[in-house]
Amino acid sequence: MYDELTQVDIDKMKAEIEHRTRVLRPQLIEEVQRTREFGDLSENFEYKCAKRDKNRNDSRIRYLERMIKTAKVIDAKSDEEGIGLFDKVTIFNEMTGKEMKLQIVTTLRQNVLKGLISKESPVGKALVGHKVGDRVQVVVSPEMQYFVEIRSVEKGEDDASMEISAY
């Protein structure tokens, strides 16, 4: 399975790898060496924290490299009719009776708390390709389904201002 990402996503991941490799890694290695000198490693909390931080950095680098390697680069342009990537959408959730504003983004940039919904999520899958006035069924699971009405769509573009997810 591959993730569908834009070229901007790939460029942001490459920049993060570069920073983590050239800047963070040497600092973290130095911190591990410095804390190692504190004595008994079995009781050295600072050393354990430094090792943990170094390992997290290395893990993040591997994760990003794997994402780049397996990614399918897609075009961020959507058609004029339907909802597409980076469009800002206002929907009315019939189940909760509330209106929501959200933006359709790639998986790497999703942040539900900021209203950034992945195109791979149940809501994103349901909305992509539809237009204002459509009543769309969102299928979360076979037991959980609900309808939303698309109230407005503001066409968006990949302006590269959105951060990629930490994990």
Side-chain angles (χ1 to χ4, degrees):
M1 177 101 181
Y2 55 84
D3 287 299
E4 293 182 343
L5 304 172
T6 65
Q7 187 59 48
V8 171
D9 292 331
I10 301 292
D11 294 342
K12 283 180 174 273
M13 287 189 294
K14 286 179 179 178
E16 184 176 338
I17 289 170
E18 181 79 13
H19 174 74
R20 286 180 175 276
T21 304
R22 295 193 186 268
V23 178
L24 283 180
R25 184 180 278 161
Q27 291 172 354
L28 294 169
I29 289 172
E30 185 178 315
E31 182 66 11
V32 168
Q33 291 171 347
R34 185 184 72 77
T35 57
R36 185 180 198 132
E37 296 170 359
F38 290 171
D40 185 8
L41 297 182
S42 66
E43 296 179 14
N44 188 337
F45 182 72
E46 290 85 1
Y47 175 74
K48 289 178 183 177
C49 290
K51 284 287 286 183
R52 182 199 63 211
D53 292 344
K54 180 193 166 298
N55 290 338
R56 282 183 180 170
N57 185 60
D58 291 344
S59 176
R60 177 69 174 172
I61 292 169
R62 285 190 305 273
Y63 169 77
L64 292 171
E65 288 172 341
R66 193 169 36 255
M67 288 288 288
I68 291 170
K69 184 178 178 181
T70 62
K72 176 183 176 187
V73 180
I74 58 170
D75 188 13
K77 294 179 183 165
S78 63
D79 62 7
E80 291 301 315
E81 292 294 313
I83 295 171
L85 203 52
F86 301 108
D87 290 350
K88 294 176 182 172
V89 184
T90 303
I91 60 172
F92 177 75
N93 185 327
E94 295 178 4
M95 187 171 77
T96 63
K98 294 183 180 178
E99 195 170 86
M100 297 171 48
K101 292 184 181 189
L102 47 92
Q103 186 173 12
I104 308 295
V105 296
T106 59
T107 305
L108 198 60
R109 297 196 216 176
Q110 69 186 356
N111 185 337
V112 177
L113 298 176
K114 293 182 179 179
L116 304 174
I117 306 296
S118 167
K119 70 182 197 65
E120 305 294 330
S121 70
V123 174
K125 285 180 185 177
L127 293 177
V128 170
H130 289 278
K131 52 187 178 254
V132 175
D134 286 356
R135 183 173 180 252
V136 181
Q137 183 177 23
V138 177
V139 180
V140 179
S141 70
E143 299 81 29
M144 175 62 174
Q145 303 172 19
Y146 59 93
F147 285 92
V148 297
E149 179 187 336
I150 302 170
R151 297 263 169 103
S152 70
V153 176
E154 179 185 330
K155 288 295 179 183
E157 61 182 41
D158 189 1
D159 62 3
S161 66
M162 287 179 266
E163 296 297 318
I164 59 176
S165 301
Y167 265 111

PDB file of all heavy atoms in Angstrom, residues 4-6 9 74 76 85-86 103-111 116-120 158 162 164-165:
ATOM      1  N   GLU A   4      -0.837   8.484  -1.024  1.00  0.00           N
ATOM      2  CA  GLU A   4      -0.901   9.467  -2.085  1.00  0.00           C
ATOM      3  C   GLU A   4      -0.532  10.813  -1.490  1.00  0.00           C
ATOM      4  O   GLU A   4      -1.242  11.350  -0.647  1.00  0.00           O
ATOM      5  CB  GLU A   4      -2.298   9.505  -2.704  1.00  0.00           C
ATOM      6  CG  GLU A   4      -2.634   8.236  -3.448  1.00  0.00           C
ATOM      7  CD  GLU A   4      -3.999   8.285  -4.109  1.00  0.00           C
ATOM      8  OE1 GLU A   4      -4.826   9.145  -3.740  1.00  0.00           O
ATOM      9  OE2 GLU A   4      -4.238   7.468  -4.998  1.00  0.00           O
ATOM     10  N   LEU A   5       0.608  11.357  -1.922  1.00  0.00           N
ATOM     11  CA  LEU A   5       1.130  12.604  -1.390  1.00  0.00           C
ATOM     12  C   LEU A   5       1.458  13.558  -2.533  1.00  0.00           C
ATOM     13  O   LEU A   5       1.704  13.125  -3.655  1.00  0.00           O
ATOM     14  CB  LEU A   5       2.397  12.334  -0.570  1.00  0.00           C
ATOM     15  CG  LEU A   5       2.257  11.334   0.572  1.00  0.00           C
ATOM     16  CD1 LEU A   5       3.614  11.015   1.173  1.00  0.00           C
ATOM     17  CD2 LEU A   5       1.313  11.863   1.638  1.00  0.00           C
ATOM     18  N   THR A   6       1.469  14.838  -2.234  1.00  0.00           N
ATOM     19  CA  THR A   6       1.838  15.839  -3.238  1.00  0.00           C
ATOM     20  C   THR A   6       3.350  16.019  -3.239  1.00  0.00           C
ATOM     21  O   THR A   6       4.035  15.601  -2.308  1.00  0.00           O
ATOM     22  CB  THR A   6       1.160  17.187  -2.955  1.00  0.00           C
ATOM     23  OG1 THR A   6       1.670  17.705  -1.728  1.00  0.00           O
ATOM     24  CG2 THR A   6      -0.350  17.053  -2.892  1.00  0.00           C
ATOM     25  N   ASP A   9       4.500  17.692  -0.127  1.00  0.00           N
ATOM     26  CA  ASP A   9       4.664  16.768   1.002  1.00  0.00           C
ATOM     27  C   ASP A   9       6.045  16.110   0.956  1.00  0.00           C
ATOM     28  O   ASP A   9       6.742  16.037   1.966  1.00  0.00           O
ATOM     29  CB  ASP A   9       3.593  15.670   0.987  1.00  0.00           C
ATOM     30  CG  ASP A   9       2.198  16.181   1.270  1.00  0.00           C
ATOM     31  OD1 ASP A   9       2.062  17.188   1.984  1.00  0.00           O
ATOM     32  OD2 ASP A   9       1.235  15.552   0.785  1.00  0.00           O
ATOM     33  N   ILE A  74       0.873  12.653  -6.351  1.00  0.00           N
ATOM     34  CA  ILE A  74      -0.363  13.008  -7.045  1.00  0.00           C
ATOM     35  C   ILE A  74      -0.399  14.503  -7.311  1.00  0.00           C
ATOM     36  O   ILE A  74       0.286  15.285  -6.669  1.00  0.00           O
ATOM     37  CB  ILE A  74      -1.610  12.595  -6.231  1.00  0.00           C
ATOM     38  CG1 ILE A  74      -1.602  13.261  -4.851  1.00  0.00           C
ATOM     39  CG2 ILE A  74      -1.707  11.086  -6.125  1.00  0.00           C
ATOM     40  CD1 ILE A  74      -2.892  13.095  -4.075  1.00  0.00           C
ATOM     41  N   ALA A  76      -2.259  18.035  -7.077  1.00  0.00           N
ATOM     42  CA  ALA A  76      -3.169  18.625  -6.093  1.00  0.00           C
ATOM     43  C   ALA A  76      -4.328  19.375  -6.733  1.00  0.00           C
ATOM     44  O   ALA A  76      -5.222  19.824  -6.031  1.00  0.00           O
ATOM     45  CB  ALA A  76      -2.399  19.570  -5.177  1.00  0.00           C
ATOM     46  N   LEU A  85      -8.711  17.990  -3.410  1.00  0.00           N
ATOM     47  CA  LEU A  85      -7.647  18.188  -2.433  1.00  0.00           C
ATOM     48  C   LEU A  85      -7.423  19.676  -2.151  1.00  0.00           C
ATOM     49  O   LEU A  85      -7.390  20.484  -3.073  1.00  0.00           O
ATOM     50  CB  LEU A  85      -6.367  17.554  -2.970  1.00  0.00           C
ATOM     51  CG  LEU A  85      -5.289  17.149  -1.988  1.00  0.00           C
ATOM     52  CD1 LEU A  85      -5.836  16.278  -0.869  1.00  0.00           C
ATOM     53  CD2 LEU A  85      -4.181  16.410  -2.712  1.00  0.00           C
ATOM     54  N   PHE A  86      -7.330  20.030  -0.882  1.00  0.00           N
ATOM     55  CA  PHE A  86      -7.080  21.367  -0.354  1.00  0.00           C
ATOM     56  C   PHE A  86      -8.281  22.313  -0.440  1.00  0.00           C
ATOM     57  O   PHE A  86      -8.161  23.483  -0.111  1.00  0.00           O
ATOM     58  CB  PHE A  86      -5.823  22.007  -0.968  1.00  0.00           C
ATOM     59  CG  PHE A  86      -4.594  21.189  -0.728  1.00  0.00           C
ATOM     60  CD1 PHE A  86      -3.992  20.478  -1.755  1.00  0.00           C
ATOM     61  CD2 PHE A  86      -4.064  21.094   0.542  1.00  0.00           C
ATOM     62  CE1 PHE A  86      -2.872  19.704  -1.526  1.00  0.00           C
ATOM     63  CE2 PHE A  86      -2.941  20.318   0.779  1.00  0.00           C
ATOM     64  CZ  PHE A  86      -2.350  19.619  -0.252  1.00  0.00           C
ATOM     65  N   GLN A 103     -11.080  21.267   5.829  1.00  0.00           N
ATOM     66  CA  GLN A 103     -10.295  21.317   4.602  1.00  0.00           C
ATOM     67  C   GLN A 103      -9.796  19.917   4.297  1.00  0.00           C
ATOM     68  O   GLN A 103      -9.322  19.212   5.188  1.00  0.00           O
ATOM     69  CB  GLN A 103      -9.125  22.293   4.754  1.00  0.00           C
ATOM     70  CG  GLN A 103      -8.353  22.501   3.479  1.00  0.00           C
ATOM     71  CD  GLN A 103      -7.306  23.600   3.587  1.00  0.00           C
ATOM     72  OE1 GLN A 103      -6.982  24.071   4.660  1.00  0.00           O
ATOM     73  NE2 GLN A 103      -6.782  24.019   2.442  1.00  0.00           N
ATOM     74  N   ILE A 104      -9.907  19.522   3.053  1.00  0.00           N
ATOM     75  CA  ILE A 104      -9.451  18.201   2.612  1.00  0.00           C
ATOM     76  C   ILE A 104      -7.952  18.285   2.325  1.00  0.00           C
ATOM     77  O   ILE A 104      -7.519  19.123   1.532  1.00  0.00           O
ATOM     78  CB  ILE A 104     -10.200  17.742   1.344  1.00  0.00           C
ATOM     79  CG1 ILE A 104     -11.720  17.838   1.517  1.00  0.00           C
ATOM     80  CG2 ILE A 104      -9.764  16.334   0.946  1.00  0.00           C
ATOM     81  CD1 ILE A 104     -12.309  16.935   2.557  1.00  0.00           C
ATOM     82  N   VAL A 105      -7.164  17.420   2.979  1.00  0.00           N
ATOM     83  CA  VAL A 105      -5.710  17.439   2.828  1.00  0.00           C
ATOM     84  C   VAL A 105      -5.193  16.015   2.627  1.00  0.00           C
ATOM     85  O   VAL A 105      -5.944  15.049   2.735  1.00  0.00           O
ATOM     86  CB  VAL A 105      -5.022  18.077   4.061  1.00  0.00           C
ATOM     87  CG1 VAL A 105      -5.416  19.540   4.202  1.00  0.00           C
ATOM     88  CG2 VAL A 105      -5.342  17.330   5.330  1.00  0.00           C
ATOM     89  N   THR A 106      -3.883  15.900   2.400  1.00  0.00           N
ATOM     90  CA  THR A 106      -3.262  14.579   2.303  1.00  0.00           C
ATOM     91  C   THR A 106      -3.126  13.990   3.709  1.00  0.00           C
ATOM     92  O   THR A 106      -3.175  14.709   4.703  1.00  0.00           O
ATOM     93  CB  THR A 106      -1.870  14.661   1.646  1.00  0.00           C
ATOM     94  OG1 THR A 106      -1.049  15.532   2.418  1.00  0.00           O
ATOM     95  CG2 THR A 106      -1.962  15.149   0.217  1.00  0.00           C
ATOM     96  N   THR A 107      -2.914  12.703   3.786  1.00  0.00           N
ATOM     97  CA  THR A 107      -2.798  12.001   5.061  1.00  0.00           C
ATOM     98  C   THR A 107      -1.699  12.582   5.931  1.00  0.00           C
ATOM     99  O   THR A 107      -1.826  12.653   7.139  1.00  0.00           O
ATOM    100  CB  THR A 107      -2.508  10.501   4.805  1.00  0.00           C
ATOM    101  OG1 THR A 107      -3.518   9.992   3.944  1.00  0.00           O
ATOM    102  CG2 THR A 107      -2.490   9.712   6.079  1.00  0.00           C
ATOM    103  N   LEU A 108      -0.634  13.018   5.315  1.00  0.00           N
ATOM    104  CA  LEU A 108       0.526  13.531   6.042  1.00  0.00           C
ATOM    105  C   LEU A 108       0.267  14.867   6.735  1.00  0.00           C
ATOM    106  O   LEU A 108       0.958  15.222   7.669  1.00  0.00           O
ATOM    107  CB  LEU A 108       1.698  13.671   5.072  1.00  0.00           C
ATOM    108  CG  LEU A 108       3.082  13.773   5.665  1.00  0.00           C
ATOM    109  CD1 LEU A 108       3.399  12.540   6.487  1.00  0.00           C
ATOM    110  CD2 LEU A 108       4.105  13.942   4.573  1.00  0.00           C
ATOM    111  N   ARG A 109      -0.749  15.593   6.294  1.00  0.00           N
ATOM    112  CA  ARG A 109      -1.016  16.919   6.866  1.00  0.00           C
ATOM    113  C   ARG A 109      -2.295  16.977   7.699  1.00  0.00           C
ATOM    114  O   ARG A 109      -2.703  18.051   8.126  1.00  0.00           O
ATOM    115  CB  ARG A 109      -1.104  17.946   5.753  1.00  0.00           C
ATOM    116  CG  ARG A 109       0.199  18.073   5.009  1.00  0.00           C
ATOM    117  CD  ARG A 109       0.209  19.318   4.204  1.00  0.00           C
ATOM    118  NE  ARG A 109       0.918  19.082   2.958  1.00  0.00           N
ATOM    119  CZ  ARG A 109       1.026  19.969   2.015  1.00  0.00           C
ATOM    120  NH1 ARG A 109       0.477  21.132   2.144  1.00  0.00           N
ATOM    121  NH2 ARG A 109       1.686  19.688   0.915  1.00  0.00           N
ATOM    122  N   GLN A 110      -2.923  15.858   7.928  1.00  0.00           N
ATOM    123  CA  GLN A 110      -4.190  15.879   8.663  1.00  0.00           C
ATOM    124  C   GLN A 110      -4.007  16.335  10.107  1.00  0.00           C
ATOM    125  O   GLN A 110      -3.000  16.060  10.743  1.00  0.00           O
ATOM    126  CB  GLN A 110      -4.839  14.501   8.633  1.00  0.00           C
ATOM    127  CG  GLN A 110      -4.105  13.445   9.425  1.00  0.00           C
ATOM    128  CD  GLN A 110      -4.713  12.078   9.234  1.00  0.00           C
ATOM    129  OE1 GLN A 110      -5.724  11.919   8.562  1.00  0.00           O
ATOM    130  NE2 GLN A 110      -4.115  11.074   9.827  1.00  0.00           N
ATOM    131  N   ASN A 111      -4.982  17.073  10.587  1.00  0.00           N
ATOM    132  CA  ASN A 111      -5.029  17.511  11.979  1.00  0.00           C
ATOM    133  C   ASN A 111      -6.486  17.855  12.273  1.00  0.00           C
ATOM    134  O   ASN A 111      -6.941  18.966  11.970  1.00  0.00           O
ATOM    135  CB  ASN A 111      -4.121  18.720  12.217  1.00  0.00           C
ATOM    136  CG  ASN A 111      -4.059  19.120  13.676  1.00  0.00           C
ATOM    137  OD1 ASN A 111      -4.963  18.822  14.457  1.00  0.00           O
ATOM    138  ND2 ASN A 111      -2.998  19.803  14.046  1.00  0.00           N
ATOM    139  N   LEU A 116      -8.396  19.956   9.546  1.00  0.00           N
ATOM    140  CA  LEU A 116      -7.705  19.402   8.382  1.00  0.00           C
ATOM    141  C   LEU A 116      -8.004  17.911   8.317  1.00  0.00           C
ATOM    142  O   LEU A 116      -7.505  17.132   9.124  1.00  0.00           O
ATOM    143  CB  LEU A 116      -6.208  19.659   8.479  1.00  0.00           C
ATOM    144  CG  LEU A 116      -5.788  21.121   8.644  1.00  0.00           C
ATOM    145  CD1 LEU A 116      -4.297  21.231   8.881  1.00  0.00           C
ATOM    146  CD2 LEU A 116      -6.214  21.941   7.438  1.00  0.00           C
ATOM    147  N   ILE A 117      -8.836  17.522   7.361  1.00  0.00           N
ATOM    148  CA  ILE A 117      -9.328  16.153   7.252  1.00  0.00           C
ATOM    149  C   ILE A 117      -8.656  15.449   6.075  1.00  0.00           C
ATOM    150  O   ILE A 117      -8.655  15.965   4.955  1.00  0.00           O
ATOM    151  CB  ILE A 117     -10.860  16.134   7.037  1.00  0.00           C
ATOM    152  CG1 ILE A 117     -11.573  16.936   8.115  1.00  0.00           C
ATOM    153  CG2 ILE A 117     -11.394  14.715   6.961  1.00  0.00           C
ATOM    154  CD1 ILE A 117     -11.431  16.407   9.505  1.00  0.00           C
ATOM    155  N   SER A 118      -8.125  14.274   6.321  1.00  0.00           N
ATOM    156  CA  SER A 118      -7.468  13.499   5.268  1.00  0.00           C
ATOM    157  C   SER A 118      -8.478  13.059   4.213  1.00  0.00           C
ATOM    158  O   SER A 118      -9.611  12.693   4.526  1.00  0.00           O
ATOM    159  CB  SER A 118      -6.803  12.262   5.876  1.00  0.00           C
ATOM    160  OG  SER A 118      -6.417  11.362   4.857  1.00  0.00           O
ATOM    161  N   LYS A 119      -8.026  13.060   2.970  1.00  0.00           N
ATOM    162  CA  LYS A 119      -8.886  12.568   1.892  1.00  0.00           C
ATOM    163  C   LYS A 119      -9.109  11.068   2.003  1.00  0.00           C
ATOM    164  O   LYS A 119     -10.004  10.524   1.389  1.00  0.00           O
ATOM    165  CB  LYS A 119      -8.305  12.939   0.532  1.00  0.00           C
ATOM    166  CG  LYS A 119      -7.036  12.210   0.150  1.00  0.00           C
ATOM    167  CD  LYS A 119      -6.542  12.705  -1.183  1.00  0.00           C
ATOM    168  CE  LYS A 119      -5.553  11.762  -1.786  1.00  0.00           C
ATOM    169  NZ  LYS A 119      -6.084  10.461  -2.139  1.00  0.00           N
ATOM    170  N   GLU A 120      -8.305  10.411   2.847  1.00  0.00           N
ATOM    171  CA  GLU A 120      -8.437   8.974   3.072  1.00  0.00           C
ATOM    172  C   GLU A 120      -9.400   8.651   4.215  1.00  0.00           C
ATOM    173  O   GLU A 120      -9.779   7.502   4.396  1.00  0.00           O
ATOM    174  CB  GLU A 120      -7.068   8.362   3.386  1.00  0.00           C
ATOM    175  CG  GLU A 120      -6.001   8.623   2.349  1.00  0.00           C
ATOM    176  CD  GLU A 120      -6.286   7.964   1.015  1.00  0.00           C
ATOM    177  OE1 GLU A 120      -6.931   6.898   1.007  1.00  0.00           O
ATOM    178  OE2 GLU A 120      -5.878   8.517  -0.014  1.00  0.00           O
ATOM    179  N   ASP A 158      -2.448  23.953  -2.855  1.00  0.00           N
ATOM    180  CA  ASP A 158      -1.371  23.517  -1.973  1.00  0.00           C
ATOM    181  C   ASP A 158      -0.350  24.645  -1.865  1.00  0.00           C
ATOM    182  O   ASP A 158       0.551  24.761  -2.680  1.00  0.00           O
ATOM    183  CB  ASP A 158      -0.722  22.249  -2.529  1.00  0.00           C
ATOM    184  CG  ASP A 158       0.245  21.618  -1.569  1.00  0.00           C
ATOM    185  OD1 ASP A 158       0.416  22.149  -0.451  1.00  0.00           O
ATOM    186  OD2 ASP A 158       0.820  20.576  -1.919  1.00  0.00           O
ATOM    187  N   MET A 162       0.962  24.518   5.352  1.00  0.00           N
ATOM    188  CA  MET A 162       0.564  23.536   6.354  1.00  0.00           C
ATOM    189  C   MET A 162       1.733  22.625   6.703  1.00  0.00           C
ATOM    190  O   MET A 162       2.447  22.140   5.823  1.00  0.00           O
ATOM    191  CB  MET A 162      -0.586  22.677   5.827  1.00  0.00           C
ATOM    192  CG  MET A 162      -1.900  23.402   5.764  1.00  0.00           C
ATOM    193  SD  MET A 162      -3.170  22.322   5.120  1.00  0.00           S
ATOM    194  CE  MET A 162      -3.100  22.778   3.390  1.00  0.00           C
ATOM    195  N   ILE A 164       3.613  19.213   8.151  1.00  0.00           N
ATOM    196  CA  ILE A 164       3.342  17.783   8.070  1.00  0.00           C
ATOM    197  C   ILE A 164       3.206  17.263   9.506  1.00  0.00           C
ATOM    198  O   ILE A 164       3.737  17.850  10.443  1.00  0.00           O
ATOM    199  CB  ILE A 164       4.434  17.009   7.292  1.00  0.00           C
ATOM    200  CG1 ILE A 164       5.811  17.175   7.937  1.00  0.00           C
ATOM    201  CG2 ILE A 164       4.445  17.445   5.842  1.00  0.00           C
ATOM    202  CD1 ILE A 164       6.883  16.356   7.267  1.00  0.00           C
ATOM    203  N   SER A 165       2.477  16.173   9.652  1.00  0.00           N
ATOM    204  CA  SER A 165       2.223  15.611  10.976  1.00  0.00           C
ATOM    205  C   SER A 165       3.501  15.094  11.611  1.00  0.00           C
ATOM    206  O   SER A 165       4.393  14.592  10.928  1.00  0.00           O
ATOM    207  CB  SER A 165       1.229  14.449  10.870  1.00  0.00           C
ATOM    208  OG  SER A 165       0.033  14.879  10.305  1.00  0.00           O
TER     209      SER A 165
END
